[in-house]
Amino acid sequence: MKLSELMSGVTPNADYAGITNTDDFVLAMDIAAESTGKIADYVVVQTGVTAVDAQLNPETEDKTYLRTGKSTNKTATQRTFNITGDRFEGDEFQDFACGHAIKFGKGQTIVKPYVYFSMLTGKGEQGQAAIIVNSDGSGDAGAAAEVDIDIMCNNSAPTEYTYADDSGT
């Protein structure tokens, strides 16, 4: 499903205040062979997904200074998403991620643009992330095959993003 389809009829409210559910967040990636450059064409990561573990992994450096003691300095933060769920053949994102080129690819060939934001407020982030497939069909006999995919930002930190429908531009 394209982001434009998911957001059809949805109007985020930047002033929303209240509880947010996991289903209120959207992760979408540009996996097209030839990108249109439109975020509206990004593919939503959702079909068969049972959990998205959106993590911020800060790095710090501790130093001790004369007469002032220990001090902690934050040096970086890496964004990671761990996607788990049931393998769904025919889903555009899963078929792409579980394809040979991504599973066994390396370097820039597995890095794709993404957006992650709240459907309630429209606020979030955008960046570049590597798609790393840890498992593409594990499970017990008679059970649904499971997938485990990490999406890990690389190089620079993501930038701030506010959802706007760019499908008509």
Side-chain angles (χ1 to χ4, degrees), residues 51-117:
V52 175
D53 187 10
Q55 291 287 315
L56 296 169
N57 304 309
E59 293 179 16
T60 61
E61 177 182 65
D62 292 337
K63 288 190 175 186
T64 303
Y65 296 100
L66 294 174
R67 291 172 288 287
T68 58
K70 191 174 188 175
S71 178
T72 300
N73 183 36
K74 182 177 163 189
T75 58
T77 302
Q78 182 186 36
R79 161 65 85 187
T80 62
F81 302 95
N82 178 249
I83 310 300
T84 55
D86 296 331
R87 177 66 173 104
F88 196 101
E89 299 283 350
D91 173 66
E92 196 171 356
F93 174 75
Q94 283 198 32
D95 289 352
F96 176 80
C98 292
H100 189 83
I102 298 298
K103 288 190 301 190
F104 297 101
K106 52 188 166 181
Q108 289 301 113
T109 63
I110 62 168
V111 175
K112 301 294 176 188
Y114 80 93
V115 292
Y116 179 68
F117 65 95

